[in-house]
Every structure is written in structure tokens, then in C-alpha cells.
Amino acid sequence: MAASSAAHMVEKTQSVPALGKLKGADRERAFHRMFLPLAFEVAGTVVPDPARRLTAAYGFLAHWAAETDRGGGLYNWNLGNIHGGGDWAKAGHDEYMSTDTDVGGTGNKYNVTFRAYDTAHEGAYDAAALMMRAPARRTVILTGDILDLYVAMRNTGYFNPWCSKDAEGKAVACTDDQLRQWMVNQTAAIKRDTNDVDYKAGYQEPGVTVLGASVSTLAFMGLFGVGAYFLWKNKG
């Protein structure tokens, strides 16, 4: 795919290289601890009810973690892993070229542009704006029914998740219960990893070290027996 003509193309740059050096539970814990304050800050701007802001923050953070492989695949502060093009490109905003995976479980890669941001704040607020665009997704965020977030995302065309393959190797779509269980597991991991984090203190730009002690974690690819596979398209 050719770069959008009006967009300003920039180099694809890993946002937090230290996260990319971590593996498994260590990376997950570091990502959760680093970005929960930012997720809470963003939630405070879109959720009027203070009692529901932390729950909304868990939803935003779970989404960012899934999109960026817990920060290992976070480039140009695109926390939502949002494609470029369209009005974004026409306005002359920054984009970088990368690859995405074909929807439907084929595993085929294709070239596509992604939005690029100068700061984590810009990426976080834009990801939240896209999430809040569809009424069904917005309702889930505002009411605190965060376990239904991935169901709402699928139902509004934000992504096309599949959780297994049949005997012929074809993708089998996730059920509502599987999507809810995925969010249950993610929010449990966030709470476990951030139980001593002052999430109201505000987001701090990452320093040199973001290491965290190794903790037990649910294996993402083993949630549903044969494995869970999620393909995102960020168009909704």
C-alpha cells in the first residue's frame, strides 16, 4: 500500500525500547505500571462519574496492552495501533509505514500506514477518542460494564477477533463469553500488577529503567485451550 499523499511520513521508532527488552510477565507488569496513570488521566476526561473512572482506565489500558504487545510493539506512541490514511492523512499528520495481519486468520501480512504521535499523551487521547466514537463502545466505557468492551468493539466493526481454528485451518470467531473472559483475565492482571501504584499521581515520561519483578501471569495464547488469536483493524 502506498503512503497517503498528504501525510507526513516519519521513521518507525520504538517508543519505549526498555519494554521491548523485557519478556512475558516482566513486560506486562512494567507496561501496566507505566501506563495506568495515563489511562486514568484519559478516563477522567471522558467519564463524568468519578466512581467509574478507574474501571474505564482498566479498559483503556487492557486495549493498549493488547494492541502493542504490552509495549514491545509500541511505535511512535500509537497506543491504539491505529491505521493512518483518511482524514488523518489529508490533514497532513505524521504516519509511519509498517505491516499488519490480514483479517480472518490467514496470517498474511500487508503493508499499511499507521498514525504517529510525538508523545504518549497524544497517542492515548486519540485512541480514546476513536474508542468513544461508536455509541455501543461509549456506553460500555461510561457505564463501567468494561467486561463487554471487546464484545462492543467486535459488534461495531473495530476489530475481527478469532479464538481458534477448525480442522481445515480456518479461523473460528470468538464467542461473547470468550471475549468477556479475555477482559476478565486482563483486568485481573492489571489489578495484580498495579495494586501499589499511585495512579492518580499523573503519567511520568519513561526513564531508563522500567524493570519489574517477575510475577506469575496468565499465558495470553493459552486462554482458550488451543490458543487465542486476535486480529485488529482499527477502522470503526
Side-chain angles (χ1 to χ4, degrees), residues 52 55-56 139-147:
R52 293 175 175 168
T55 301
T139 297
V140 167
I141 295 292
L142 294 178
T143 60
D145 296 328
I146 207 66
L147 297 185

Side-chain angles (χ1 to χ4, degrees), residues 60-134:
F60 287 140
L61 184 58
H63 173 221
W64 302 345
E67 292 283 7
T68 66
D69 190 20
R70 282 82 175 151
L74 174 58
Y75 297 98
N76 301 74
W77 297 114
N78 191 340
L79 285 160
N81 204 29
I82 305 170
H83 287 180
D87 291 339
W88 176 268
K90 291 177 182 178
H93 292 303
D94 290 348
E95 295 183 349
Y96 66 91
M97 181 67 72
S98 189
T99 60
D100 208 345
T101 306
D102 186 30
V103 174
T106 65
N108 295 331
K109 298 285 187 179
Y110 62 97
N111 292 328
V112 67
T113 58
F114 289 83
R115 297 183 183 186
Y117 309 91
D118 291 330
T119 67
H121 280 88
E122 291 178 9
Y125 279 92
D126 199 38
L130 181 60
M131 184 63 66
M132 299 292 286
R133 181 184 298 172

Side-chain angles (χ1 to χ4, degrees), residues 26 52 83 113 131 148 151 154-155 160 163 169 181 183 231:
D26 288 329
R52 293 175 175 168
H83 287 180
T113 58
M131 184 63 66
D148 283 328
V151 175
R154 187 222 29 223
N155 291 348
N160 290 309
C163 290
Q181 187 60 49
M183 183 58 78
L231 300 177

Side-chain angles (χ1 to χ4, degrees), residues 28 70 185 216-224 227-228:
E28 181 177 60
R70 282 82 175 151
N185 292 339
S216 61
T217 186
L218 292 167
F220 178 64
M221 296 303 291
L223 296 180
F224 309 128

